[in-house]
Amino acid sequence: TAMLALVDPFPPHIRRRGHICSRLRGFIRLNDLRYLQERVYHAIMHPLHMDKFREFSNSGEAHRWAQWSYRTKPYPGTATLFLAEASLSQTAGSSLGWGELVANLHTHTIPGNHGMMVKHPHVTRLATLMQSLIDAAQKENLSPPGKNSINR
């Protein structure tokens, strides 16, 4: 038995509340011209399958390019979403958009924001939840043949 855990990610097709406005403010202040340039490169080169000719200045550019290129597909299995409490206010719904992609999604809310959920004291709750799910998956894997295991 395997466990798929998502730790407070936004799917690429979901836009956070205020995301567009903050980007526009950055363009107006000329802070995000490099970002705009990268978006234009991607909009032109990716549909033409010219990605391999793109050289990145840093890992941030490579990360953004990968995120923009990725297309989500429905996942028929089970996944667990560990959601930062502060992320709930950034999108509609309680699953950051993963509920429409994952057939069987279990959500656990962790106090704090995205950065704080992996720091003390919130990381303790995250670790405890993860460990209990790992233990349950291992126990299920060791159970005798029945409804929770696969007969080979």
Side-chain angles (χ1 to χ4, degrees):
T1 301
M3 181 180 92
L4 173 60
L6 305 166
V7 183
D8 201 49
F10 284 88
H13 71 283
I14 296 294
R15 294 286 178 243
R16 296 178 218 179
R17 289 186 181 136
H19 174 78
I20 293 172
C21 292
S22 68
R23 280 291 175 200
L24 287 174
R25 282 192 297 272
F27 294 145
I28 291 168
R29 290 190 304 255
L30 304 179
N31 292 343
D32 286 341
L33 286 179
R34 182 67 184 154
Y35 177 86
L36 179 60
Q37 180 184 22
E38 281 298 312
R39 286 300 275 190
V40 170
Y41 284 166
H42 186 267
I44 294 168
M45 294 176 79
H46 185 68
L48 298 173
H49 305 288
M50 296 176 65
D51 304 39
K52 61 185 170 208
F53 300 113
R54 176 72 184 104
E55 292 185 22
F56 302 109
S57 300
N58 57 54
S59 62
E61 288 180 6
H63 179 264
R64 285 188 297 277
W65 194 278
Q67 183 179 14
W68 297 333
S69 300
Y70 181 75
R71 297 294 171 249
T72 55
K73 296 176 186 160
Y75 177 67
T78 298
T80 302
L81 172 65
F82 297 97
L83 176 67
E85 190 173 37
S87 295
L88 287 170
S89 65
Q90 295 182 12
T91 63
S94 60
S95 68
L96 303 185
W98 290 104
E100 63 193 60
L101 294 170
V102 178
N104 188 16
L105 183 68
H106 302 280
T107 304
H108 299 277
T109 304
I110 308 296
N113 61 30
H114 182 77
M116 294 305 294
M117 71 185 290
V118 293
K119 295 181 180 168
H120 186 72
H122 307 306
V123 72
T124 304
R125 175 162 165 71
L126 177 61
T128 301
L129 282 168
M130 282 186 155
Q131 188 62 58
S132 68
L133 292 169
I134 291 168
D135 292 346
Q138 288 176 336
K139 184 177 179 183
E140 181 180 310
N141 198 34
L142 296 175
S143 66
K147 83 175 200 181
N148 289 334
S149 61
I150 298 172
N151 294 320
R152 295 188 193 259

